[in-house]
Amino acid sequence: MAYSLLYVSKTLLQPPQSEAQVTEIAAAARGRNAWLGVTGALVATSTYFAQLLEGAQPAVEELMASIEDDPRHMRVRIIRTAEEKRRFGDWSMVYTGYAGLVDRHIAPFFSSLPPGDVAYLATRLVGLMEEYARLPAD
Ligand SMILES: Cc1cc2nc3c(=O)[nH]c(=O)nc-3n(C[C@H](O)[C@H](O)[C@H](O)COP(=O)(O)O)c2cc1C
């Protein structure tokens, strides 16, 4: 079992460099995540980030403390934590490129939602991340 943490945030990266900058974030993340034994998935759109981190709780929390302070995004909201089997055990950080359609799955977390809706939408978002992770990279 692993501690898993799902957060969403608003990007402060500006096009046209933003896509390349996210690719850099993901590439830099892999080394540190592997060192910490953290796996997970990162989804980026032109507006939002969503990221699932999984591993030992202290490692995930240490990483999350860095990520929260990162000036490349704001309004970081942790929307779900759980003890569960790793979903992305084979990836120190899977990033599948810009995913514009995911916007509509992240946007609701920035409005006030009943906790039941947050839980339901968070489960759906994680499912989507798993779908994306299974797509072949181009
Ligand atoms: C959306 C987003 C996701 C990130 N994900 C990771 C990650 O999974 N692993 C990682 O080491 N750094 C990640 N970073 C970078 C960290 O915020 C931070 O810059 C890096 O870990 C260096 O940390 P330090 O400045 O505390 O040394 C991410 C940054 C952003 C904006």
Side-chain angles (χ1 to χ4, degrees), residues 8-86:
V8 292
S9 64
K10 290 201 166 177
T11 186
L12 289 171
L13 300 177
Q14 299 288 331
Q17 305 92 338
S18 41
E19 282 204 52
Q21 287 169 329
V22 182
T23 307
E24 272 168 35
I25 290 174
R30 291 194 184 107
R32 185 171 178 201
N33 294 11
W35 169 254
L36 287 170
V38 170
T39 54
L42 174 66
V43 171
T45 76
S46 52
T47 315
Y48 301 111
F49 288 112
Q51 190 174 26
L52 186 90
L53 303 169
E54 51 189 19
Q57 185 166 350
V60 169
E61 285 175 348
E62 178 188 324
L63 188 54
M64 193 60 213
S66 294
I67 293 172
E68 264 179 323
D69 282 347
D70 197 303
R72 292 171 285 192
H73 62 174
M74 64 176 189
R75 296 187 64 190
V76 178
R77 292 191 171 180
I78 294 169
I79 54 174
R80 174 181 178 276
T81 60
E83 280 293 333
E84 58 183 12
K85 257 181 66 190
R86 283 185 198 250

